[in-house]
Amino acid sequence: MKIAISAADLDHKRIDGTRIYIQNVLKNFGLLDTEDQFLIYHENEFNPELKFPVFDNYKIIKLKFPFYWTQTRFAWEMRKTKPDILWMPMHSLPLLRSKNTKTIVTIHDLAFKLFPDHFPKKDLRRLNFFTDYAVRNADKLIAVSNSTKNDLLKIYPGLREEKIRVIYHGYDKDLFSRNVSEERMEKIRAKYKLPADKYIIYAGALQPRKNIQALIDAFESLQRDGSVKEKKLVIAGDLGWMYEETMKRIKNNPKIISTGKYETADLPALLWGAEVFVLPSLYEGFGIPVLEAMACGTPVVAADNSSLGEIIGGNGILYKPNNAIELEKSLREILGNNNLQKQLAEKGLKRAEDFLWEKCARETLEWLKS
């Protein structure tokens, strides 16, 4: 059986949750299935940080083309090659393809439907058109959480529930560990100009949906009443879009550190060095960063919306979303509270074990081939 996979997103310089997903599923497909042939297509050069092993039954195919790659060069290749199965890990589907090819599309989230003002207009048009087409025309869908599945059923009336399977993301057990040596931690502190003491951290892209300004509001309120004293807030992540006001506030507060783009291999140490990880996001399809933080034994505080409560369960602190005062209260509850931090660290580590990339890849293969 020939299974074609669009992996062009692994060519991008910016690494986000969807690219981590594709990378880690490809790390496992070849281990789980040695019989079928995997045709892995991309456009230019893979991001060197997004490495995955190449197995004997993997064929990596680079198809260069200057514009609308998925709908032009890749679509033509699918029409010509006629694979048995086509898996699209990113919200899209070639308009032209062989009728004999079974198609499966992963839907990560529908944030652009729920928060259209948080996306550039050109991206919004593209996301709406191609997601609408993929949802209505794919043979099967993968939703990365029950929250995303429920959003699909609400936004697309008439969509059959049996067409959707929920398959959770995972975390890289080899990469994320609670134990980071002091020598390694010193190197990370020097590299990203981190404080010697434990800090508050957010990790992810800088874009409006992540609601970073609510975290800055809460932190600055704690600064004003002396609750955080010399403690610092670390914003770790690459620039996404519509980030200008957030960056302005970061630069105006000397107690806020922006790491900029970080290397994936450094993320476990960044998280391990923190007293608490905060995700104030307005919406997450899954929320890989909270899982990675829990896997590092770092207590998690997150907005109680979309998938976050589903993934964290009772293993972190959830606060009422869109409310910097509630976030401030949650931070007051955990900062300096060693007993609570220890409890949440232990519970988070146990919870993380429920989400492994091998499990995600196995369930994905089952759904592709069923």
Side-chain angles (χ1 to χ4, degrees):
M1 185 181 288
K2 289 183 179 180
I3 302 174
I5 300 169
S6 171
D9 249 60
L10 298 187
D11 294 348
H12 285 258
K13 291 180 180 178
R14 186 169 68 83
I15 298 173
D16 60 15
T18 55
R19 286 150 201 165
I20 290 169
Y21 164 71
I22 300 167
Q23 174 202 23
N24 281 283
V25 171
L26 291 179
K27 277 184 179 181
N28 283 279
F29 270 2
L31 294 171
L32 296 167
D33 183 347
T34 58
E35 301 297 323
D36 295 303
Q37 185 179 21
F38 294 91
L39 308 174
I40 300 169
Y41 294 89
H42 69 126
E43 186 177 1
N44 293 301
E45 301 295 332
F46 287 133
N47 183 322
E49 283 193 69
L50 294 171
K51 295 175 184 175
F52 60 90
V54 177
F55 301 94
D56 290 342
N57 57 336
Y58 275 24
K59 186 176 181 182
I60 311 296
I61 303 157
K62 183 163 66 174
L63 304 171
K64 288 197 171 187
F65 206 73
F67 54 89
Y68 295 112
W69 180 84
T70 299
Q71 301 301 336
T72 53
R73 186 66 183 88
F74 180 68
W76 171 250
E77 194 68 20
M78 291 303 96
R79 192 79 178 265
K80 183 177 70 172
T81 306
K82 297 181 175 62
D84 300 291
I85 296 169
L86 169 60
W87 176 42
M88 300 294 294
M90 283 290 293
H91 284 234
S92 62
L93 191 63
L95 301 174
L96 298 174
R97 58 195 181 278
S98 169
K99 292 181 180 179
N100 296 323
T101 297
K102 185 170 70 175
T103 56
I104 299 89
V105 176
T106 297
I107 304 296
H108 294 272
D109 64 68
L110 293 164
F112 57 94
K113 296 282 189 185
L114 301 170
F115 300 93
D117 293 345
H118 293 177
F119 290 80
K121 287 184 179 178
K122 63 180 179 64
D123 292 344
L124 198 60
R125 287 192 293 270
R126 176 179 53 81
L127 282 165
N128 273 296
F129 178 82
F130 288 116
T131 304
D132 290 352
Y133 179 81
V135 168
R136 293 184 175 118
N137 290 277
D139 293 301
K140 296 180 179 181
L141 300 173
I142 294 171
V144 301
S145 64
N146 281 298
S147 173
T148 295
K149 176 184 174 181
N150 292 335
D151 288 340
L152 279 165
L153 293 171
K154 285 177 190 173
I155 291 169
Y156 297 97
L159 179 62
R160 292 178 293 108
E161 188 172 355
E162 59 268 25
K163 181 175 171 175
I164 310 167
R165 179 168 176 180
V166 174
I167 301 176
Y168 288 132
H169 286 332
Y171 78 97
D172 189 334
K173 201 170 183 180
D174 294 331
L175 178 62
F176 290 90
S177 168
R178 190 178 188 180
N179 299 311
V180 176
S181 69
E182 187 54 38
E183 181 184 4
R184 170 72 173 150
M185 200 62 226
E186 283 299 320
K187 288 180 180 178
I188 293 298
R189 287 191 189 105
K191 183 175 181 178
Y192 295 101
K193 299 178 182 177
L194 302 177
D197 298 328
K198 294 276 187 177
Y199 43 83
I200 303 165
I201 192 169
Y202 159 86
L206 274 68
Q207 49 137 309
R209 177 169 54 90
K210 302 299 182 178
N211 202 24
I212 300 167
Q213 293 207 49
L215 175 55
I216 295 173
D217 287 342
F219 179 72
E220 291 183 341
S221 180
L222 292 170
Q223 279 186 305
R224 285 191 292 271
D225 69 16
S227 298
V228 292
K229 296 180 181 178
E230 295 302 310
K231 198 171 294 295
K232 294 191 177 181
L233 169 62
V234 174
I235 306 294
D238 201 359
L239 299 177
W241 56 87
M242 299 166 71
Y243 52 77
E244 290 80 6
E245 187 59 33
T246 300
M247 281 304 302
K248 182 179 176 182
R249 293 190 66 185
I250 291 170
K251 289 175 181 177
N252 286 339
N253 191 327
K255 298 295 185 183
I256 303 178
I257 298 168
S258 173
T259 67
K261 183 181 179 182
Y262 54 78
E263 292 184 39
T264 303
D266 295 339
L267 182 56
L270 288 168
L271 293 170
W272 189 83
E275 186 173 352
V276 60
F277 170 82
V278 183
L279 187 60
S281 184
L282 298 172
Y283 176 95
E284 292 291 329
F286 180 87
I288 287 178
V290 298
L291 180 58
E292 293 171 337
M294 289 192 293
C296 289
T298 303
V300 169
V301 171
D304 190 6
N305 61 40
S306 54
S307 65
L308 294 175
E310 178 183 346
I311 305 307
I312 295 168
N315 307 289
I317 295 177
L318 295 166
Y319 70 91
K320 293 177 183 176
N322 289 332
N323 195 323
I325 294 173
E326 289 291 327
L327 173 52
E328 182 185 334
K329 287 179 182 177
S330 298
L331 289 173
R332 285 184 196 279
E333 182 183 355
I334 194 170
L335 291 172
N337 188 333
N338 293 330
N339 288 334
L340 179 57
Q341 289 176 22
K342 185 179 178 182
Q343 288 173 19
L344 292 179
E346 290 172 354
K347 290 170 75 174
L349 283 165
K350 188 175 180 181
R351 176 63 171 165
E353 291 294 323
D354 294 336
F355 303 92
L356 297 174
W357 284 122
E358 182 187 354
K359 181 173 182 285
C360 172
R362 184 184 297 109
E363 292 178 359
T364 301
L365 265 179
E366 289 171 358
W367 189 232
L368 295 183
K369 296 165 70 172
S370 65

